[in-house]
Amino acid sequence: MRAIKNLFLVVTVLVAISCKKDSSTTSNSNFPYYFTATIKGAAVKYEANDLNTRFSCGYSQDESSLWPDDFDIYQGTLISDDQDPTKNAIVVQVLKYFNHEPSSAEKSAMIKLGNYPYGYGNVSSSTVDGADIEYVDANGVAWLSQFGSQTGSTFTITELVDNPDHTSGKIFTATFNCRLYDGNGASIQVANGKIRGKVLPP
């Protein structure tokens, strides 16, 4: 089993942007980058832009590898709180196993429209390709999709467009419902999750 990475050590490019929190959850936002969901029955909403908001959005890239034959590659987006980087953050990624060091084109091809199962990294051919969600709540507790069963969970990339400001290669939107786990036996339900963020290098 791969060692779960520290959420804030993900190889990530961030642009100084940020977030506004709101007590209501909506599926849309007037901000270019956002995360909304109902978590443990409560509304969570982060909103970000590249100008004057509290949260930052950047594309995330992560890798667990046993060079030269086994590579777990992650591509996705990160929204995190600039005022306190130990709390209020989410990484939404796609995981794919390669039996060779993948090219940039192969990594970019990981992100496409459609439905995904949930993934599980093992840095070997037994890696399960699919979505990976890592969330840090307002108390600084990390919750991961890979720590438990995702039976009945869903994940869909619904939008994939070029980023006109070139701070990332693309912008994507994903919707999801899942259960996240803290690794110590506790779990939380994420319902009506939606994230729009930067993905892939420019």
Side-chain angles (χ1 to χ4, degrees):
M1 174 179 159
R2 82 176 177 103
I4 298 297
K5 62 190 173 297
N6 181 318
L7 179 65
F8 301 103
L9 295 181
V10 174
V11 179
T12 305
V13 176
L14 291 174
V15 179
I17 60 183
S18 95
C19 170
K20 173 184 175 185
K21 290 172 118 180
D22 189 278
S23 60
S24 63
T25 295
T26 63
S27 61
N28 295 300
S29 171
N30 292 324
F31 287 73
Y33 313 111
Y34 58 86
F35 164 61
T36 63
T38 300
I39 301 178
K40 292 172 51 175
V44 176
K45 186 174 187 179
Y46 306 155
E47 294 181 308
N49 62 30
D50 285 337
L51 300 173
N52 56 2
T53 49
R54 172 178 166 180
F55 274 54
S56 295
C57 179
Y59 63 87
S60 66
Q61 295 184 292
D62 193 25
E63 173 183 318
S64 295
S65 61
L66 296 172
W67 195 88
D69 297 322
D70 296 298
F71 295 81
D72 282 357
I73 302 296
Y74 296 78
Q75 300 288 332
T77 194
L78 165 67
I79 297 178
S80 63
D81 188 340
D82 285 345
Q83 293 184 8
D84 187 347
T86 67
K87 301 176 181 179
N88 299 317
I90 188 163
V91 178
V92 176
Q93 304 179 111
V94 172
L95 161 65
K96 184 174 176 60
Y97 168 76
F98 293 89
N99 62 4
H100 59 278
E101 186 169 12
S103 66
S104 295
E106 288 176 305
K107 292 177 181 179
S108 294
M110 292 169 55
I111 304 297
K112 57 184 182 296
L113 297 175
N115 299 322
Y116 288 74
Y118 278 79
Y120 181 83
N122 201 36
V123 199
S124 73
S125 59
S126 63
T127 287
V128 177
D129 295 348
D132 173 61
I133 297 175
E134 304 177 16
Y135 168 68
V136 177
D137 65 21
N139 297 313
V141 178
W143 304 88
L144 283 72
S145 60
Q146 289 197 41
F147 279 164
S149 171
Q150 294 301 330
T151 300
S153 295
T154 60
F155 183 92
T156 305
I157 295 179
T158 60
E159 177 193 31
L160 183 62
V161 296
D162 291 337
N163 188 342
D165 71 10
H166 307 294
T167 56
S168 67
K170 299 284 185 179
I171 295 171
F172 83 153
T173 299
T175 59
F176 52 93
N177 293 277
C178 64
R179 186 163 289 277
L180 303 179
Y181 303 83
D182 69 353
N184 295 310
S187 67
I188 56 175
Q189 184 66 40
V190 178
N192 301 314
K194 185 172 185 179
I195 192 164
R196 188 174 196 265
K198 300 179 182 185
V199 65
L200 303 172

PDB file of all heavy atoms in Angstrom, residues 18-47:
ATOM      1  N   SER A  18      -8.104  33.041  -3.739  1.00  0.00           N
ATOM      2  CA  SER A  18      -8.653  32.768  -2.466  1.00  0.00           C
ATOM      3  C   SER A  18     -10.114  32.490  -2.346  1.00  0.00           C
ATOM      4  O   SER A  18     -10.735  32.210  -3.288  1.00  0.00           O
ATOM      5  CB  SER A  18      -8.561  33.826  -1.796  1.00  0.00           C
ATOM      6  OG  SER A  18      -9.736  33.501  -2.485  1.00  0.00           O
ATOM      7  N   CYS A  19     -10.676  32.670  -1.168  1.00  0.00           N
ATOM      8  CA  CYS A  19     -11.967  32.097  -0.953  1.00  0.00           C
ATOM      9  C   CYS A  19     -12.896  32.902  -0.096  1.00  0.00           C
ATOM     10  O   CYS A  19     -12.488  33.641   0.727  1.00  0.00           O
ATOM     11  CB  CYS A  19     -11.773  30.782  -0.322  1.00  0.00           C
ATOM     12  SG  CYS A  19     -13.234  30.049   0.264  1.00  0.00           S
ATOM     13  N   LYS A  20     -14.143  32.709  -0.366  1.00  0.00           N
ATOM     14  CA  LYS A  20     -15.169  33.271   0.471  1.00  0.00           C
ATOM     15  C   LYS A  20     -16.044  32.119   0.919  1.00  0.00           C
ATOM     16  O   LYS A  20     -16.461  31.336   0.117  1.00  0.00           O
ATOM     17  CB  LYS A  20     -15.982  34.259  -0.342  1.00  0.00           C
ATOM     18  CG  LYS A  20     -17.185  34.795   0.349  1.00  0.00           C
ATOM     19  CD  LYS A  20     -17.924  35.682  -0.607  1.00  0.00           C
ATOM     20  CE  LYS A  20     -19.216  36.156  -0.029  1.00  0.00           C
ATOM     21  NZ  LYS A  20     -19.992  36.917  -0.948  1.00  0.00           N
ATOM     22  N   LYS A  21     -16.303  32.011   2.229  1.00  0.00           N
ATOM     23  CA  LYS A  21     -17.126  30.938   2.718  1.00  0.00           C
ATOM     24  C   LYS A  21     -18.547  31.438   2.915  1.00  0.00           C
ATOM     25  O   LYS A  21     -18.754  32.567   3.258  1.00  0.00           O
ATOM     26  CB  LYS A  21     -16.591  30.412   4.038  1.00  0.00           C
ATOM     27  CG  LYS A  21     -15.327  29.688   3.902  1.00  0.00           C
ATOM     28  CD  LYS A  21     -14.783  29.391   5.231  1.00  0.00           C
ATOM     29  CE  LYS A  21     -14.688  27.948   5.452  1.00  0.00           C
ATOM     30  NZ  LYS A  21     -14.178  27.560   6.693  1.00  0.00           N
ATOM     31  N   ASP A  22     -19.507  30.551   2.718  1.00  0.00           N
ATOM     32  CA  ASP A  22     -20.903  30.909   2.822  1.00  0.00           C
ATOM     33  C   ASP A  22     -21.619  29.809   3.593  1.00  0.00           C
ATOM     34  O   ASP A  22     -21.215  28.668   3.544  1.00  0.00           O
ATOM     35  CB  ASP A  22     -21.485  31.041   1.419  1.00  0.00           C
ATOM     36  CG  ASP A  22     -22.870  31.620   1.433  1.00  0.00           C
ATOM     37  OD1 ASP A  22     -23.813  30.857   1.668  1.00  0.00           O
ATOM     38  OD2 ASP A  22     -23.002  32.823   1.203  1.00  0.00           O
ATOM     39  N   SER A  23     -22.677  30.151   4.290  1.00  0.00           N
ATOM     40  CA  SER A  23     -23.362  29.158   5.095  1.00  0.00           C
ATOM     41  C   SER A  23     -24.281  28.258   4.273  1.00  0.00           C
ATOM     42  O   SER A  23     -24.782  27.269   4.764  1.00  0.00           O
ATOM     43  CB  SER A  23     -24.184  29.842   6.180  1.00  0.00           C
ATOM     44  OG  SER A  23     -25.139  30.692   5.587  1.00  0.00           O
ATOM     45  N   SER A  24     -24.530  28.611   3.018  1.00  0.00           N
ATOM     46  CA  SER A  24     -25.406  27.787   2.196  1.00  0.00           C
ATOM     47  C   SER A  24     -24.610  27.091   1.119  1.00  0.00           C
ATOM     48  O   SER A  24     -23.621  27.596   0.635  1.00  0.00           O
ATOM     49  CB  SER A  24     -26.476  28.666   1.546  1.00  0.00           C
ATOM     50  OG  SER A  24     -25.868  29.595   0.673  1.00  0.00           O
ATOM     51  N   THR A  25     -25.071  25.898   0.751  1.00  0.00           N
ATOM     52  CA  THR A  25     -24.425  25.157  -0.313  1.00  0.00           C
ATOM     53  C   THR A  25     -25.243  25.314  -1.577  1.00  0.00           C
ATOM     54  O   THR A  25     -26.437  25.053  -1.580  1.00  0.00           O
ATOM     55  CB  THR A  25     -24.308  23.669   0.040  1.00  0.00           C
ATOM     56  OG1 THR A  25     -23.452  23.549   1.161  1.00  0.00           O
ATOM     57  CG2 THR A  25     -23.728  22.873  -1.101  1.00  0.00           C
ATOM     58  N   THR A  26     -24.599  25.725  -2.648  1.00  0.00           N
ATOM     59  CA  THR A  26     -25.256  25.787  -3.944  1.00  0.00           C
ATOM     60  C   THR A  26     -24.398  25.044  -4.930  1.00  0.00           C
ATOM     61  O   THR A  26     -23.217  24.854  -4.723  1.00  0.00           O
ATOM     62  CB  THR A  26     -25.437  27.246  -4.422  1.00  0.00           C
ATOM     63  OG1 THR A  26     -24.150  27.837  -4.589  1.00  0.00           O
ATOM     64  CG2 THR A  26     -26.248  28.057  -3.430  1.00  0.00           C
ATOM     65  N   SER A  27     -25.009  24.617  -6.019  1.00  0.00           N
ATOM     66  CA  SER A  27     -24.257  23.841  -6.997  1.00  0.00           C
ATOM     67  C   SER A  27     -23.460  24.723  -7.936  1.00  0.00           C
ATOM     68  O   SER A  27     -22.656  24.233  -8.708  1.00  0.00           O
ATOM     69  CB  SER A  27     -25.206  22.949  -7.794  1.00  0.00           C
ATOM     70  OG  SER A  27     -26.145  23.761  -8.483  1.00  0.00           O
ATOM     71  N   ASN A  28     -23.676  26.026  -7.880  1.00  0.00           N
ATOM     72  CA  ASN A  28     -22.973  26.933  -8.766  1.00  0.00           C
ATOM     73  C   ASN A  28     -22.397  28.094  -7.973  1.00  0.00           C
ATOM     74  O   ASN A  28     -22.724  28.305  -6.809  1.00  0.00           O
ATOM     75  CB  ASN A  28     -23.907  27.441  -9.869  1.00  0.00           C
ATOM     76  CG  ASN A  28     -24.346  26.320 -10.788  1.00  0.00           C
ATOM     77  OD1 ASN A  28     -23.535  25.679 -11.419  1.00  0.00           O
ATOM     78  ND2 ASN A  28     -25.653  26.073 -10.840  1.00  0.00           N
ATOM     79  N   SER A  29     -21.568  28.883  -8.641  1.00  0.00           N
ATOM     80  CA  SER A  29     -20.911  29.994  -7.979  1.00  0.00           C
ATOM     81  C   SER A  29     -20.595  31.046  -9.022  1.00  0.00           C
ATOM     82  O   SER A  29     -20.447  30.743 -10.204  1.00  0.00           O
ATOM     83  CB  SER A  29     -19.606  29.504  -7.328  1.00  0.00           C
ATOM     84  OG  SER A  29     -18.839  30.586  -6.860  1.00  0.00           O
ATOM     85  N   ASN A  30     -20.476  32.272  -8.576  1.00  0.00           N
ATOM     86  CA  ASN A  30     -20.046  33.347  -9.471  1.00  0.00           C
ATOM     87  C   ASN A  30     -18.539  33.436  -9.564  1.00  0.00           C
ATOM     88  O   ASN A  30     -18.013  34.238 -10.330  1.00  0.00           O
ATOM     89  CB  ASN A  30     -20.625  34.690  -8.997  1.00  0.00           C
ATOM     90  CG  ASN A  30     -22.134  34.745  -9.152  1.00  0.00           C
ATOM     91  OD1 ASN A  30     -22.690  34.210 -10.100  1.00  0.00           O
ATOM     92  ND2 ASN A  30     -22.797  35.388  -8.204  1.00  0.00           N
ATOM     93  N   PHE A  31     -17.830  32.627  -8.780  1.00  0.00           N
ATOM     94  CA  PHE A  31     -16.377  32.604  -8.793  1.00  0.00           C
ATOM     95  C   PHE A  31     -15.894  31.564  -9.804  1.00  0.00           C
ATOM     96  O   PHE A  31     -16.559  30.558 -10.039  1.00  0.00           O
ATOM     97  CB  PHE A  31     -15.841  32.283  -7.407  1.00  0.00           C
ATOM     98  CG  PHE A  31     -15.980  33.411  -6.427  1.00  0.00           C
ATOM     99  CD1 PHE A  31     -17.222  33.740  -5.903  1.00  0.00           C
ATOM    100  CD2 PHE A  31     -14.881  34.146  -6.024  1.00  0.00           C
ATOM    101  CE1 PHE A  31     -17.370  34.782  -4.997  1.00  0.00           C
ATOM    102  CE2 PHE A  31     -15.009  35.184  -5.118  1.00  0.00           C
ATOM    103  CZ  PHE A  31     -16.253  35.510  -4.603  1.00  0.00           C
ATOM    104  N   PRO A  32     -14.712  31.780 -10.384  1.00  0.00           N
ATOM    105  CA  PRO A  32     -14.237  30.813 -11.382  1.00  0.00           C
ATOM    106  C   PRO A  32     -13.852  29.466 -10.794  1.00  0.00           C
ATOM    107  O   PRO A  32     -13.903  28.447 -11.481  1.00  0.00           O
ATOM    108  CB  PRO A  32     -13.017  31.507 -11.999  1.00  0.00           C
ATOM    109  CG  PRO A  32     -12.558  32.480 -10.960  1.00  0.00           C
ATOM    110  CD  PRO A  32     -13.801  32.939 -10.266  1.00  0.00           C
ATOM    111  N   TYR A  33     -13.460  29.438  -9.519  1.00  0.00           N
ATOM    112  CA  TYR A  33     -13.043  28.195  -8.864  1.00  0.00           C
ATOM    113  C   TYR A  33     -13.806  28.065  -7.556  1.00  0.00           C
ATOM    114  O   TYR A  33     -13.922  29.033  -6.792  1.00  0.00           O
ATOM    115  CB  TYR A  33     -11.533  28.201  -8.602  1.00  0.00           C
ATOM    116  CG  TYR A  33     -10.752  28.651  -9.811  1.00  0.00           C
ATOM    117  CD1 TYR A  33     -10.081  29.873  -9.811  1.00  0.00           C
ATOM    118  CD2 TYR A  33     -10.734  27.888 -10.969  1.00  0.00           C
ATOM    119  CE1 TYR A  33      -9.391  30.299 -10.936  1.00  0.00           C
ATOM    120  CE2 TYR A  33     -10.056  28.312 -12.101  1.00  0.00           C
ATOM    121  CZ  TYR A  33      -9.387  29.520 -12.074  1.00  0.00           C
ATOM    122  OH  TYR A  33      -8.715  29.954 -13.194  1.00  0.00           O
ATOM    123  N   TYR A  34     -14.334  26.874  -7.291  1.00  0.00           N
ATOM    124  CA  TYR A  34     -15.135  26.714  -6.084  1.00  0.00           C
ATOM    125  C   TYR A  34     -15.282  25.237  -5.730  1.00  0.00           C
ATOM    126  O   TYR A  34     -15.073  24.336  -6.551  1.00  0.00           O
ATOM    127  CB  TYR A  34     -16.514  27.345  -6.260  1.00  0.00           C
ATOM    128  CG  TYR A  34     -17.310  26.796  -7.421  1.00  0.00           C
ATOM    129  CD1 TYR A  34     -18.110  25.655  -7.288  1.00  0.00           C
ATOM    130  CD2 TYR A  34     -17.269  27.416  -8.659  1.00  0.00           C
ATOM    131  CE1 TYR A  34     -18.840  25.151  -8.348  1.00  0.00           C
ATOM    132  CE2 TYR A  34     -17.995  26.919  -9.737  1.00  0.00           C
ATOM    133  CZ  TYR A  34     -18.781  25.787  -9.572  1.00  0.00           C
ATOM    134  OH  TYR A  34     -19.493  25.289 -10.638  1.00  0.00           O
ATOM    135  N   PHE A  35     -15.655  25.017  -4.479  1.00  0.00           N
ATOM    136  CA  PHE A  35     -16.016  23.699  -3.969  1.00  0.00           C
ATOM    137  C   PHE A  35     -17.259  23.864  -3.125  1.00  0.00           C
ATOM    138  O   PHE A  35     -17.304  24.722  -2.231  1.00  0.00           O
ATOM    139  CB  PHE A  35     -14.886  23.109  -3.126  1.00  0.00           C
ATOM    140  CG  PHE A  35     -15.301  21.951  -2.271  1.00  0.00           C
ATOM    141  CD1 PHE A  35     -15.808  20.794  -2.842  1.00  0.00           C
ATOM    142  CD2 PHE A  35     -15.195  22.018  -0.884  1.00  0.00           C
ATOM    143  CE1 PHE A  35     -16.213  19.720  -2.035  1.00  0.00           C
ATOM    144  CE2 PHE A  35     -15.577  20.954  -0.086  1.00  0.00           C
ATOM    145  CZ  PHE A  35     -16.087  19.800  -0.666  1.00  0.00           C
ATOM    146  N   THR A  36     -18.288  23.072  -3.400  1.00  0.00           N
ATOM    147  CA  THR A  36     -19.494  23.065  -2.584  1.00  0.00           C
ATOM    148  C   THR A  36     -19.865  21.615  -2.283  1.00  0.00           C
ATOM    149  O   THR A  36     -19.648  20.719  -3.106  1.00  0.00           O
ATOM    150  CB  THR A  36     -20.677  23.751  -3.288  1.00  0.00           C
ATOM    151  OG1 THR A  36     -21.006  23.027  -4.486  1.00  0.00           O
ATOM    152  CG2 THR A  36     -20.363  25.193  -3.638  1.00  0.00           C
ATOM    153  N   ALA A  37     -20.417  21.389  -1.109  1.00  0.00           N
ATOM    154  CA  ALA A  37     -20.862  20.049  -0.730  1.00  0.00           C
ATOM    155  C   ALA A  37     -21.640  20.137   0.569  1.00  0.00           C
ATOM    156  O   ALA A  37     -21.590  21.138   1.291  1.00  0.00           O
ATOM    157  CB  ALA A  37     -19.670  19.104  -0.546  1.00  0.00           C
ATOM    158  N   THR A  38     -22.358  19.058   0.862  1.00  0.00           N
ATOM    159  CA  THR A  38     -22.916  18.852   2.184  1.00  0.00           C
ATOM    160  C   THR A  38     -22.084  17.756   2.836  1.00  0.00           C
ATOM    161  O   THR A  38     -21.999  16.640   2.316  1.00  0.00           O
ATOM    162  CB  THR A  38     -24.391  18.435   2.111  1.00  0.00           C
ATOM    163  OG1 THR A  38     -25.138  19.468   1.455  1.00  0.00           O
ATOM    164  CG2 THR A  38     -24.963  18.217   3.503  1.00  0.00           C
ATOM    165  N   ILE A  39     -21.440  18.083   3.944  1.00  0.00           N
ATOM    166  CA  ILE A  39     -20.545  17.153   4.622  1.00  0.00           C
ATOM    167  C   ILE A  39     -21.022  16.992   6.062  1.00  0.00           C
ATOM    168  O   ILE A  39     -21.165  17.970   6.783  1.00  0.00           O
ATOM    169  CB  ILE A  39     -19.089  17.652   4.588  1.00  0.00           C
ATOM    170  CG1 ILE A  39     -18.626  17.832   3.137  1.00  0.00           C
ATOM    171  CG2 ILE A  39     -18.176  16.684   5.338  1.00  0.00           C
ATOM    172  CD1 ILE A  39     -17.216  18.374   2.987  1.00  0.00           C
ATOM    173  N   LYS A  40     -21.304  15.758   6.443  1.00  0.00           N
ATOM    174  CA  LYS A  40     -21.866  15.477   7.771  1.00  0.00           C
ATOM    175  C   LYS A  40     -23.127  16.300   7.993  1.00  0.00           C
ATOM    176  O   LYS A  40     -23.386  16.770   9.097  1.00  0.00           O
ATOM    177  CB  LYS A  40     -20.834  15.748   8.868  1.00  0.00           C
ATOM    178  CG  LYS A  40     -19.666  14.795   8.861  1.00  0.00           C
ATOM    179  CD  LYS A  40     -18.565  15.184   9.822  1.00  0.00           C
ATOM    180  CE  LYS A  40     -19.042  15.457  11.221  1.00  0.00           C
ATOM    181  NZ  LYS A  40     -17.912  15.716  12.153  1.00  0.00           N
ATOM    182  N   GLY A  41     -23.904  16.506   6.930  1.00  0.00           N
ATOM    183  CA  GLY A  41     -25.162  17.224   7.019  1.00  0.00           C
ATOM    184  C   GLY A  41     -25.050  18.733   7.023  1.00  0.00           C
ATOM    185  O   GLY A  41     -26.078  19.428   7.066  1.00  0.00           O
ATOM    186  N   ALA A  42     -23.825  19.280   6.951  1.00  0.00           N
ATOM    187  CA  ALA A  42     -23.619  20.735   6.987  1.00  0.00           C
ATOM    188  C   ALA A  42     -23.084  21.231   5.652  1.00  0.00           C
ATOM    189  O   ALA A  42     -22.318  20.540   4.973  1.00  0.00           O
ATOM    190  CB  ALA A  42     -22.657  21.109   8.107  1.00  0.00           C
ATOM    191  N   ALA A  43     -23.461  22.434   5.282  1.00  0.00           N
ATOM    192  CA  ALA A  43     -23.017  23.027   4.028  1.00  0.00           C
ATOM    193  C   ALA A  43     -21.571  23.495   4.139  1.00  0.00           C
ATOM    194  O   ALA A  43     -21.177  24.115   5.128  1.00  0.00           O
ATOM    195  CB  ALA A  43     -23.911  24.208   3.666  1.00  0.00           C
ATOM    196  N   VAL A  44     -20.786  23.171   3.116  1.00  0.00           N
ATOM    197  CA  VAL A  44     -19.404  23.654   3.004  1.00  0.00           C
ATOM    198  C   VAL A  44     -19.274  24.326   1.652  1.00  0.00           C
ATOM    199  O   VAL A  44     -19.707  23.784   0.627  1.00  0.00           O
ATOM    200  CB  VAL A  44     -18.393  22.491   3.116  1.00  0.00           C
ATOM    201  CG1 VAL A  44     -16.971  22.994   2.888  1.00  0.00           C
ATOM    202  CG2 VAL A  44     -18.509  21.809   4.472  1.00  0.00           C
ATOM    203  N   LYS A  45     -18.691  25.510   1.644  1.00  0.00           N
ATOM    204  CA  LYS A  45     -18.538  26.247   0.388  1.00  0.00           C
ATOM    205  C   LYS A  45     -17.250  27.054   0.414  1.00  0.00           C
ATOM    206  O   LYS A  45     -17.038  27.859   1.314  1.00  0.00           O
ATOM    207  CB  LYS A  45     -19.736  27.171   0.169  1.00  0.00           C
ATOM    208  CG  LYS A  45     -19.755  27.881  -1.178  1.00  0.00           C
ATOM    209  CD  LYS A  45     -21.063  28.643  -1.343  1.00  0.00           C
ATOM    210  CE  LYS A  45     -21.207  29.228  -2.722  1.00  0.00           C
ATOM    211  NZ  LYS A  45     -22.495  29.946  -2.878  1.00  0.00           N
ATOM    212  N   TYR A  46     -16.377  26.804  -0.546  1.00  0.00           N
ATOM    213  CA  TYR A  46     -15.163  27.593  -0.743  1.00  0.00           C
ATOM    214  C   TYR A  46     -15.279  28.250  -2.117  1.00  0.00           C
ATOM    215  O   TYR A  46     -15.653  27.575  -3.081  1.00  0.00           O
ATOM    216  CB  TYR A  46     -13.895  26.730  -0.771  1.00  0.00           C
ATOM    217  CG  TYR A  46     -13.663  25.813   0.405  1.00  0.00           C
ATOM    218  CD1 TYR A  46     -12.885  24.681   0.221  1.00  0.00           C
ATOM    219  CD2 TYR A  46     -14.171  26.068   1.666  1.00  0.00           C
ATOM    220  CE1 TYR A  46     -12.624  23.816   1.290  1.00  0.00           C
ATOM    221  CE2 TYR A  46     -13.919  25.210   2.725  1.00  0.00           C
ATOM    222  CZ  TYR A  46     -13.138  24.080   2.526  1.00  0.00           C
ATOM    223  OH  TYR A  46     -12.882  23.228   3.565  1.00  0.00           O
ATOM    224  N   GLU A  47     -14.921  29.520  -2.217  1.00  0.00           N
ATOM    225  CA  GLU A  47     -14.941  30.203  -3.509  1.00  0.00           C
ATOM    226  C   GLU A  47     -13.621  30.942  -3.700  1.00  0.00           C
ATOM    227  O   GLU A  47     -13.091  31.521  -2.758  1.00  0.00           O
ATOM    228  CB  GLU A  47     -16.111  31.184  -3.588  1.00  0.00           C
ATOM    229  CG  GLU A  47     -17.458  30.481  -3.575  1.00  0.00           C
ATOM    230  CD  GLU A  47     -18.625  31.449  -3.666  1.00  0.00           C
ATOM    231  OE1 GLU A  47     -18.670  32.396  -2.859  1.00  0.00           O
ATOM    232  OE2 GLU A  47     -19.468  31.262  -4.539  1.00  0.00           O
TER     233      GLU A  47
END
